[in-house]
Amino acid sequence: YCPFSLSSDDQNMETVMKNLDQQYAALNMVSMISRYGTEQQGANARDAELLTRERLCRALSMFELVMQRIKSFLTCDPIWEGPPPANGVMSIDECQEFHRLWSAIQFAYCLPPTKGEITIEQCYGEGLQWAGCVIMTLLAQEKRFASLDFSYHLLRVHEFDGQDGNVQGIDLKQMIKRIKVYRDLNNQIFVILNKHLSSSDILQRQVREYQPPIFQATQA
């Protein structure tokens, strides 16, 4: 009796994987390059496959290295975080942090495009959204963005009053639809970033404790 024997489902899956390997063996890049390419190209393909396998087996990735490099650029310039808040907690009216700038950018491209206008997603796909979310995550500003974003505020107001009219030539229904799409995309990106970076020292979360308010009558 082997305690590590495969179940019937595992055996079926293993059989399926073997059949797929045999079916698509002709599409293997290493064998194709070795067959039709030069000797040097074949050697490079084999080295690349070996490097990829080793990196995946050891959970090595350039992702964290790139994030660490980006964070070093952000932390060396105080313009990304702005001056310390006047109230000692968080700047709201005079906020100069990056998330407020990104909030204005997102609000602008959430506006419904006019006829014939190229949308931001047609130009950049999801790349621009990834860039903004990465910067906010590395600066630990994603929670403040979710709380103070202009587009999210409009969405919350719409969920309360349900207005779908046309305001100054802007179709509110279409704009709310675009905001929801970008909100869901932002949430997905934040989940991916926090999942991969939470176990590293890249995200340095600081927990601050505040003294609860004390009434004058209880001080004596």
Side-chain angles (χ1 to χ4, degrees):
Y1 171 72
C2 177
F4 302 104
S5 60
L6 296 176
S7 65
S8 58
D9 292 339
D10 294 334
Q11 292 176 349
N12 292 335
M13 181 59 66
E14 186 177 3
T15 302
V16 171
M17 295 303 296
K18 288 182 178 179
N19 292 335
L20 289 175
D21 288 340
Q22 295 176 358
Q23 181 178 356
Y24 295 102
L27 300 180
N28 183 273
M29 292 300 299
V30 176
S31 60
M32 291 179 61
I33 295 176
S34 300
R35 182 181 305 174
Y36 300 107
T38 63
E39 183 178 352
Q40 183 63 41
Q41 290 174 337
N44 292 339
R46 290 188 293 271
D47 291 342
E49 183 186 35
L50 177 61
L51 178 61
T52 302
R53 287 183 178 179
E54 291 292 330
R55 188 167 61 243
L56 292 177
C57 292
R58 301 190 181 192
L60 299 178
S61 174
M62 293 183 61
F63 184 74
E64 291 188 9
L65 180 62
V66 172
M67 293 297 104
Q68 188 69 59
R69 187 69 179 273
I70 295 176
K71 186 176 182 179
S72 66
F73 298 148
L74 301 176
T75 55
C76 68
D77 195 335
I79 193 174
W80 297 98
E81 297 181 340
N87 58 11
V89 181
M90 181 173 57
S91 299
I92 298 179
D93 295 333
E94 300 296 333
C95 180
Q96 299 182 28
E97 295 181 330
F98 174 78
H99 72 87
R100 180 54 61 93
L101 172 63
W102 183 254
S103 181
I105 295 175
Q106 178 172 273
F107 186 87
Y109 62 68
C110 279
L111 295 172
T114 59
K115 185 177 180 180
E117 181 182 2
I118 300 177
T119 61
I120 196 71
E121 54 268 24
Q122 289 175 324
C123 291
Y124 303 105
E126 298 179 356
L128 188 62
Q129 214 62 25
W130 270 93
C133 291
V134 164
I135 294 176
M136 287 187 290
T137 300
L138 296 178
L139 294 174
Q141 296 180 5
E142 71 272 19
K143 299 297 183 183
R144 276 168 277 180
F145 169 75
S147 301
L148 303 175
D149 178 60
F150 305 136
S151 302
Y152 292 178
H153 174 71
L154 179 60
L155 181 60
R156 288 189 288 266
V157 172
H158 178 266
E159 291 174 350
F160 176 78
D161 60 21
Q163 297 295 323
D164 290 332
N166 192 293
V167 179
Q168 297 182 357
I170 299 175
D171 189 340
L172 288 180
K173 185 176 181 179
Q174 291 298 323
M175 184 169 186
I176 292 299
K177 183 178 179 180
R178 289 180 61 81
I179 293 174
K180 289 181 178 180
V181 170
Y182 280 109
R183 179 198 60 183
D184 295 341
L185 178 59
N186 289 338
N187 292 338
Q188 293 175 9
I189 296 175
F190 284 137
V191 168
I192 294 173
L193 292 173
N194 283 280
K195 179 181 179 181
H196 287 278
L197 300 180
S198 58
S199 60
S200 64
D201 59 349
I202 298 178
L203 297 183
Q204 299 177 358
R205 304 295 187 184
Q206 298 181 356
V207 179
R208 300 179 60 182
E209 298 181 358
Y210 299 95
Q211 177 69 30
I214 301 176
F215 294 98
Q216 296 294 329
T218 61
Q219 289 184 347

